[in-house]
Structures are given as C-alpha cells and as structure tokens.
C-alpha cells in the first residue's frame, strides 16, 4: 500500500462510506462473450459486425468481443468510426452503419429492441442501418477476495458500501447481490459518478469521510473529489494512480480494510503519546514549581517520556490481519 502523505492516513481513519467502481475493482475486469440473443441474422455475422465496429476501441468489453470473433475480420472493411462517450460506437462496415453499445445508445438513435434482457452480464446492443439486430452478453466475474474484503470493511467500522458503474442494470444488480453491497447505481456516465459521490458527501456527517476506489481513467475526477481516493496500482490507469491519495500496488481489495485498521491504530497511538507526554510534563512542571521534583525526575519527564513514547509508537508495526 502506497500512502502519499500522513494527512491521508489521518483522513482514512475516519472512513464511514466506501464507494467502488465495478469493472477492474470489484470484478476481475476479464470479459468474455457469454451469449448472443435475439439476433436477426446468423450469430457469427452479428458478432463479426460488432467486432469490426469495436475494432479501434481499447475498452475491455470491446477487446472481449474482438477476441471472441475468430478468425479476426479485416479492419479495412471499417470506416467512419465514431466513439460516443458512455454509450458505445458508431461505424460504417461494408457500407452499412453499425451501432454497438448500451441501451442509452439505442435510445439516442431511437432504436427499439423490446424487453430488457434477463441474462446476467453487460449487454451490448447491435443495430444495423437503423434496425435492431440483436445483443451480445458479456460476463465479468467478481474478484475472489471481493466479498471478504467488503465484510472486513464492515468489521472495521464502515457504515455503507456503494458501487457505481457504467454497466447495465442487470450486470450491476448481480454483482451487488453476490457481494452484499448496501447500494449500487448502474448505467452511469463519468459525470454521473461525480454527481453520485457529491450526493453521498452531502449525506455524511462532518466527521465522517468517504473513500472512492477505482482503476480507470474515467475514475480520475471521482478519485479527486472523494475525501480519499484509492487506486488499483497493478492494472489501474496512470491517470487514476496519479489522482489517487492511496494506491493498492497489487490490486488486493483486502488491503483496504487493513489500511483503515492501520490508520486508526496509528492515530490512536499518536493521541496516547500526546496525552501521556503532556500529562507527565505538566505534572513534573507543577511539582517543580513547589520544589517537590529533583533533577532525576526532571530527566525522566524529558528523556524518559520520549523513550516511552517511541516504544509505544513501535506498536504500529503490528497490525492484525484477517485470514
């Protein structure tokens, strides 16, 4: 764990709200095509059109669609690619206009697609020349340690855990239910995440702090806005790591609860040392004023108290870890 300053450790000790990004933070960020549904053409053809439309995107979901399409299609068939932030992509493939993205993209172009898909996962809708062509279900599994990490945070005194994601409602609901999150919000744009954090900041008490945990470049504004921003160091973007106050170097979520415990123990030891040192010095100052303290007692009040404070501070090296 990299903590970029002692003030962040002090702020972390008062953590009561923890807000998570979903992809790459609570989940593994390894996407796979789990199914193709309601396709009006051959499934292989629908997957190929989506892969071509997403060919120039480096988003993990786009990469999973490209990986599932084998053999890889010729990108020379694609022209006029336009990425629509928070929604998807628009491209011309073999002279046909292809849209690939979430429900908001379909709504933007007024494309009807019937009932919401009941399959768990991220839904990528595909439309060709203004007509709905079907959708692809992308799965992303929670990290093995995520559920235990959330339980540890509760044990460490965190009152509320919240997940924010741009993924579909069904995908977010499945992860939130499996991990036992208190609250989740799906289908959010990067600006919407900031709005949700602002809402939570307004709800909390003055002496309570909010931590946001994320890994993507889109998380940088939220990491900066939260009381404490925590970035995933192994797979996180450079922008997220730069904007964060604390970095989990190995992306292990269980380290977050440990960081909270370290912060609280450290602040407790600091307060103990301050009270002890000032108390002893004031006592011997009063005794000296009445002529009741000798030189050796004065030495103890100075050097002895410092040694005891240092020995007490060494206890910060020992922090209980949850197994």
């Amino acid at each position: 764990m990299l903590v970029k300053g002692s003030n962040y450790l002090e702020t972390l000790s008062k953590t009561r709200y923890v807000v998570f990004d979903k992809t790459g933070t609570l989940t593994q960020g390894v996407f796979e095509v789990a199914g193709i549904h309601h396709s009006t053409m051959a499934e292989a053809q629908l997957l190929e059109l989506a892969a071509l439309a997403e060919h120039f995107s480096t988003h993990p979901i786009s990469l999973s669609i490209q990986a599932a399409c084998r053999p890889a299609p010729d990108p020379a068939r694609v022209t006029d690619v336009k990425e629509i932030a928070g929604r998807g992509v628009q491209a011309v493939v073999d002279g046909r206009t292809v849209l690939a993205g979430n429900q908001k993209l379909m709504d933007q172009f007024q494309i009807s697609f019937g009932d919401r898909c009941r399959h768990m996962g991220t839904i990528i809708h595909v439309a060709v020349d203004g007509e709905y062509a079907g959708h692809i279900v992308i799965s992303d599994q929670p990290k093995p340690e995520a559920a235990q990490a959330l339980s540890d945070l509760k044990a460490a005194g965190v009152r509320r855990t919240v997940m924010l994601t741009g993924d579909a409602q069904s995908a977010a609901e499945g992860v939130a239910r499996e991990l036992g999150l208190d609250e989740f919000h799906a289908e959010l744009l990067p600006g919407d995440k900031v709005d949700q954090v602002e809402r939570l900041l307004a709800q909390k008490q003055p002496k309570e702090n909010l931590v946001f945990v994320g890994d993507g470049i889109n998380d940088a504004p939220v990491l900066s806005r939260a009381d404490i921003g925590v970035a995933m160091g192994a797979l996180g973007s450079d922008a997220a790591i730069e904007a964060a106050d604390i970095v989990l170097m190995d992306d292990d979520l269980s380290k977050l609860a440990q960081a909270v415990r370290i912060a609280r123990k450290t602040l407790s030891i600091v307060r103990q040392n301050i009270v002890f040192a000032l108390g002893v010095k004031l006592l011997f100052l009063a005794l000296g004023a009445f002529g009741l303290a000798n030189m050796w007692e004065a030495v103890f009040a100075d050097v002895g108290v410092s040694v005891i404070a240092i020995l007490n501070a060494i206890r910060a090296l020992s922090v209980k870890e949850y197994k």
Side-chain angles (χ1 to χ4, degrees):
M1 293 174 287
L2 172 63
V3 182
K4 297 183 180 180
S6 59
N7 55 321
Y8 302 127
L9 199 64
E10 183 174 358
T11 304
L12 186 66
S13 69
K14 303 174 184 176
T15 299
R16 289 295 180 271
Y17 288 73
V18 180
V19 182
F20 297 91
D21 174 51
K22 172 181 168 286
T23 305
T25 303
L26 289 174
T27 62
Q28 298 177 33
V30 180
F31 294 93
E32 295 180 351
V33 173
I36 299 174
H37 306 285
H38 300 172
S39 179
T40 60
M41 59 184 72
E43 292 183 357
Q45 184 182 3
L46 180 73
L47 184 62
E48 182 182 55
L49 289 174
L52 285 167
E54 301 272 11
H55 182 78
F56 298 100
S57 174
T58 58
H59 191 282
I61 290 178
S62 301
L63 295 176
S64 70
I65 295 175
Q66 296 169 42
C69 186
R70 288 290 180 266
D74 183 6
R77 296 163 56 189
V78 186
T79 58
D80 300 329
V81 179
K82 180 181 179 183
E83 188 165 353
I84 303 172
R87 287 174 166 80
V89 295
Q90 178 183 16
V92 176
V93 181
D94 297 333
R96 306 167 74 186
T97 300
V98 177
L99 298 170
N102 56 24
Q103 180 179 341
K104 292 181 179 179
L105 183 68
M106 298 295 107
D107 293 341
Q108 178 179 335
F109 288 88
Q110 300 180 341
I111 296 173
S112 174
F113 56 87
D115 296 334
R116 182 186 294 270
C117 180
R118 292 186 175 87
H119 292 85
M120 303 302 290
T122 300
I123 310 300
I124 302 300
H125 299 281
V126 181
V128 180
D129 289 333
E131 297 292 331
Y132 190 70
H135 61 256
I136 302 169
V137 180
I138 310 293
S139 64
D140 182 21
Q141 299 301 313
K143 291 182 175 179
E145 74 275 10
Q148 184 61 48
L150 290 171
S151 177
D152 291 349
L153 284 170
K154 289 287 188 178
V158 172
R159 287 176 45 208
R160 194 159 191 81
T161 54
V162 183
M163 181 179 72
L164 306 179
T165 179
D167 289 350
Q169 183 79 11
S170 60
E173 184 178 358
V175 172
R177 186 187 306 115
E178 182 174 347
L179 299 182
L181 288 153
D182 296 316
E183 180 181 340
F184 74 93
H185 300 275
E187 300 179 6
L188 301 176
L189 298 175
D192 297 331
K193 291 184 180 181
V194 177
D195 293 339
Q196 289 292 340
V197 168
E198 292 283 3
R199 177 183 63 82
L200 292 168
L201 287 170
Q203 288 180 1
K204 69 182 183 64
Q205 299 299 318
K207 292 185 178 181
E208 296 178 337
N209 288 329
L210 180 146
V211 170
F212 179 83
V213 189
D215 73 318
I217 189 170
N218 290 334
D219 296 326
V222 199
L223 287 165
S224 300
R225 182 62 191 92
D227 294 318
I228 289 288
V230 178
M232 306 305 239
L235 298 177
S237 70
D238 291 342
I241 294 171
E242 181 67 26
D245 307 309
I246 297 174
V247 182
L248 302 181
M249 303 305 293
D250 57 1
D251 288 0
D252 185 355
L253 274 178
S254 63
K255 296 290 179 62
L256 184 58
Q258 186 179 355
V260 173
R261 293 194 299 275
I262 289 173
R264 289 181 179 164
K265 183 169 184 176
T266 301
L267 265 292
S268 174
I269 291 172
V270 168
R271 295 188 185 100
Q272 291 170 14
N273 284 346
I274 290 174
V275 171
F276 174 70
L278 291 179
V280 171
K281 289 180 183 294
L282 288 173
L283 173 62
F284 280 93
L285 185 65
L287 292 174
F290 291 99
L292 300 177
N294 58 33
M295 179 62 70
W296 291 111
E297 291 170 340
V299 170
F300 170 78
D302 183 20
V303 180
V305 166
S306 298
V307 172
I308 293 173
I310 292 170
L311 293 174
N312 188 40
I314 291 175
R315 295 193 303 112
L317 295 174
S318 174
V319 178
K320 178 183 176 183
E321 293 189 28
Y322 288 125
K323 300 298 183 183

